[in-house]
């Protein structure tokens, strides 16, 4: 089906043609008509499915018909978990709105507020913001919500994992009740559904099958290794295999800096990517990595959320991620668009339970490969599939401490929106898949 059949105007279709988008992806085909009809939407879709365009395109279509923005009064708000995603989404808006006169701004913390305030004064139709900075700017009266028509919560599960529930609730309380709400999330966990109950009434639900993490073009394997041998194992693999590029995930920012210097001592140049580096440095490092000028990027999982790099040949889980869904997200950054990719995990004995959870989540064991000279002194037992943890661990932040946990939001009742949106079901009778 061509984009023009989805009810998008010529200037939008033209911009898509210029980007060489031949036809809509499945999420776009399902979501665009729902959004254009004015209904609330919950969509289970991961990064890489084309989900950004699935909400940006119909929003542009709807907003282009209305009055243009007034000073500081935004018309659509996209909440995102990270600065990187804010930049990425607003770039997409700019690309798709190239032939329209609608404006966008990426608003996030860690940088000077002044340019963002100035842009709001000049007028912004679609604001893409991280929750903390947005609340801050709202309390300073730099932004007003009275004319807001559409709220999008992008990567809702990640926002909740990162402890943004209170900020999101505060923001939602300040928005006009008569608005359209769209929620996108890789997983529709109970926490996400709790959030949807308070903010997204009578939604249409659509689910797009996850890019199958265990699909053949991502080769997954693991190496069992003692903790104190991981950095020499990594150097060995890089030097033996002469890898062109690798995104290396590590738990803490301190660990990232240490690993970079350990690699450097062995003649390998790498860059660290974590929240302890300034936004400008991170943007530069990321651009260099995308351009291939930086070959090895050592990133904390928290900082790397939302980074979307096409054609990444491999990811290394230097530290095994938690929870299991995070493993799926991480390895999904390679093997895109049919290109081959590999995902290699370093596993030491104290990762055993975590490994059981990941392999249970995948439904199969990950192939183990031995690297000569690195056999662990403490062997890692073979996992028990269908492992159920006694106590669920909580996600960690970059310092390895617990992220502020979001209490399950109490199902506060909000008055129904003035224009009731009729419930509908676009899942063809299927329940949305978990991921
Ligand atoms: P997303 O899931 O929104 O992060 O998008 C993943 C990638 O797919 C981005 O690089 C988009 O530019 C690209 N993309 C989105 N929609 C289409 C489409 N219909 N045809 C081709 N590429 C697309």
């Amino acid at each position: 089906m061509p984009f023009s059949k989805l009810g998008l105007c010529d200037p939008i279709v033209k911009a898509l043609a210029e980007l060489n988008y031949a036809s809509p992806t499945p999420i776009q085909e399902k979501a665009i008509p729902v959004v254009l009809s004015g209904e609330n939407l919950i969509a289970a879709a991961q990064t890489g499915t084309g989900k950004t365009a699935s909400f940006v395109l119909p929003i542009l279509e709807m907003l282009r018909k209305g009055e243009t923005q007034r000073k500081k009064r935004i018309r659509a708000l996209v909440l995102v978990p990270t600065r990187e995603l804010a930049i990425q989404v607003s770039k997409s808006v700019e690309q798709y709105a190239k032939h329209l006169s609608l404006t966008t701004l990426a608003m996030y913390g860690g940088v000077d507020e002044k340019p963002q305030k100035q842009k709001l004064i000049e007028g912004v139709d679609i604001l893409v913001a991280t929750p903390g900075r947005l609340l801050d700017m709202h309390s300073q009266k730099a932004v007003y919500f009275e004319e807001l028509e559409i709220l999008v919560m992008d990567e809702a599960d990640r926002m909740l994992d990162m402890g943004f529930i209170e900020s999101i609730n505060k923001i939602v309380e300040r928005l006009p009740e008569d608005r359209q709400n769209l929620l996108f999330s890789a997983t529709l966990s109970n926490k996400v559904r709790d959030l949807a109950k308070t903010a997204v009434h009578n939604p249409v639900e659509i689910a797009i099958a996850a890019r199958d993490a265990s699909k053949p073009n991502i080769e997954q394997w693991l190496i069992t290794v003692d903790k104190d041998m991981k950095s020499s194992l990594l150097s060995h693999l890089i030097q033996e295999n002469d890898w062109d590029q690798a995104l290396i995930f590590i738990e803490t920012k301190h660990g990232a800096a240490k690993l970079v210097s350990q690699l450097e001592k062995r003649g390998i140049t790498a860059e660290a990517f974590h929240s302890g580096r300034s936004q400008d440095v991170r943007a530069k490092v990321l651009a260099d990595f995308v351009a291939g000028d930086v070959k090895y990027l050592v990133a904390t999982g928290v900082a790397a959320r939302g980074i979307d790099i096409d054609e990444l040949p491999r990811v290394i889980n230097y530290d095994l991620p938690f929870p299991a869904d995070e493993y799926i997200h991480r390895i999904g950054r390679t093997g895109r668009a049919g290109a081959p990719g590999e995902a290699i995990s370093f596993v030491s004995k104290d990762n055993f339970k975590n490994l059981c959870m990941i392999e249970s989540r995948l439904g199969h064991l990950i192939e183990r490969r031995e690297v000569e000279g690195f056999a662990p002194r403490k062997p890692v037992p073979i996992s028990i599939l269908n492992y159920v943890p006694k106590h669920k661990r909580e996600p960690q932040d970059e310092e390895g401490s617990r992220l502020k946990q979001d209490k399950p939001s109490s199902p506060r009742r909000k008055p129904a929106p003035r224009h009731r949106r009729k419930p509908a079901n676009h899942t063809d009778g299927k329940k949305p898949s978990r991921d």
Side-chain angles (χ1 to χ4, degrees):
M1 182 199 283
F3 277 107
S4 52
K5 290 263 159 63
L6 285 174
L8 301 170
C9 64
D10 288 346
I12 297 178
V13 174
K14 190 176 165 204
L16 296 172
E18 286 165 3
L19 290 166
N20 294 322
Y21 288 11
S23 54
T25 64
I27 179 93
Q28 292 161 4
E29 238 178 74
K30 285 190 176 180
I32 291 172
V34 176
V35 181
L36 286 176
S37 72
E39 286 176 290
N40 285 346
L41 171 73
I42 297 184
Q46 287 192 341
T47 300
T49 52
K51 67 176 171 65
T52 313
S54 78
F55 62 82
V56 172
L57 299 177
I59 288 176
L60 293 176
E61 179 61 37
M62 293 190 292
L63 294 189
R64 84 182 175 92
K65 292 171 186 158
E67 278 178 41
T68 48
Q69 78 295 329
R70 285 168 45 202
K71 274 181 190 176
K72 300 185 185 178
R73 284 165 174 76
I74 55 165
R75 300 168 68 200
L77 170 64
V78 184
L79 286 179
V80 292
T82 62
R83 305 158 187 197
E84 284 73 23
L85 192 60
I87 294 168
Q88 227 169 269
V89 171
S90 74
K91 258 193 195 157
S92 297
V93 175
E94 276 168 11
Q95 286 178 323
Y96 304 144
K98 192 174 161 202
H99 303 296
L100 298 171
S101 53
L102 296 167
T103 51
T104 183
L105 168 68
M107 179 193 276
Y108 45 85
V111 292
D112 188 5
E113 291 175 348
K114 276 188 213 127
Q116 297 178 358
K117 285 181 175 165
Q118 184 52 37
K119 191 95 199 278
L120 284 162
I121 291 169
E122 287 162 21
V124 169
D125 294 292
I126 301 164
L127 179 65
V128 187
T130 52
R133 173 58 66 100
L134 178 64
L135 271 177
D136 199 14
M137 295 288 252
H138 185 257
S139 66
Q140 295 182 47
K141 300 198 184 326
V143 60
Y144 290 97
F145 298 139
E146 287 83 356
E147 288 169 30
L148 186 110
E149 296 165 50
I150 306 155
L151 168 69
V152 183
M153 288 178 270
D154 193 15
E155 303 210 353
D157 49 352
R158 289 181 176 226
M159 288 201 281
L160 297 180
D161 280 349
M162 292 171 78
F164 282 135
I165 186 68
E166 278 173 28
S167 304
I168 295 173
N169 281 336
K170 276 187 193 159
I171 291 165
V172 169
E173 277 167 15
R174 287 160 174 73
L175 303 180
E177 269 163 18
D178 183 19
R179 57 171 203 270
Q180 189 177 7
N181 301 284
L182 315 174
L183 181 149
F184 289 78
S185 187
T187 56
L188 292 183
S189 61
N190 289 340
K191 279 199 285 185
V192 173
R193 287 190 178 279
D194 279 343
L195 171 64
K197 263 184 226 157
T198 49
V200 190
H201 298 274
N202 296 331
V204 172
E205 266 194 43
I206 59 180
I208 295 297
R211 276 173 302 125
D212 185 358
S214 52
K215 68 188 175 185
N217 64 352
I218 302 178
E219 202 182 342
Q220 295 175 67
W221 48 285
L222 64 82
I223 305 169
T224 56
V225 59
D226 288 325
K227 237 176 168 177
D228 58 352
M229 292 299 285
K230 288 203 280 189
S231 80
S232 19
L233 172 63
L234 180 63
S235 316
H236 172 80
L237 290 173
I238 290 175
Q239 282 161 339
E240 277 291 296
N241 300 298
D242 194 23
W243 282 336
D244 45 355
Q245 249 195 339
L247 175 58
I248 300 147
F249 285 105
I250 195 161
E251 189 96 25
T252 66
K253 51 187 170 188
H254 172 70
K258 190 170 155 198
L259 180 58
V260 166
S261 79
Q262 284 168 328
L263 291 174
E264 265 163 16
K265 278 185 198 138
R266 296 183 185 113
I268 299 162
T269 310
E271 279 285 354
F273 187 87
H274 55 69
S275 65
R277 306 195 80 177
S278 74
Q279 178 58 23
D280 288 349
V281 171
R282 280 159 70 176
K284 162 103 177 58
V285 166
L286 193 58
D288 288 347
F289 186 61
V290 170
D293 297 336
V294 166
K295 288 170 79 175
Y296 309 112
L297 191 67
V298 180
T300 57
V302 175
R305 281 192 175 126
I307 294 181
D308 179 21
I309 302 164
D310 285 337
E311 292 173 34
L312 187 64
R314 70 187 49 74
V315 297
I316 314 287
N317 287 312
Y318 187 88
D319 289 328
L320 207 58
F322 177 85
D325 278 345
E326 186 63 24
Y327 176 87
I328 310 268
H329 282 300
R330 281 193 194 173
I331 72 165
R333 286 153 195 276
T334 181
R336 292 199 165 181
E342 65 182 335
I344 307 163
S345 300
F346 291 2
V347 181
S348 53
K349 185 155 184 271
D350 56 350
N351 298 137
F352 175 62
K353 286 185 185 167
N354 199 1
L355 179 67
C356 288
M357 286 187 261
I358 291 170
E359 292 183 321
S360 301
R361 172 76 177 78
L362 290 172
H364 62 78
L365 297 178
I366 301 168
E367 184 191 333
R368 295 183 179 209
R369 291 189 196 164
E370 298 221 331
V371 178
E372 214 185 312
F374 291 92
R377 300 184 297 275
K378 298 177 204 159
V380 183
I382 298 297
S383 300
I384 308 150
L385 290 185
N386 302 322
Y387 175 82
V388 182
K390 266 195 200 145
H391 301 288
K392 275 191 175 176
R393 271 203 290 144
E394 291 171 0
Q396 309 276 300
D397 67 12
E398 290 189 9
E399 295 303 352
S401 55
R402 281 178 190 175
L403 279 174
K404 200 169 71 177
Q405 276 297 287
D406 33 306
K407 297 178 209 84
S409 50
S410 50
R412 291 176 301 115
R413 284 253 157 241
K414 280 203 137 211
R418 261 181 274 149
H419 298 301
R420 284 208 153 267
R421 307 187 198 285
K422 74 172 183 329
N425 187 352
H426 288 239
T427 49
D428 304 327
K430 283 182 217 135
K431 277 195 156 189
S433 65
R434 228 183 80 69
D435 198 273

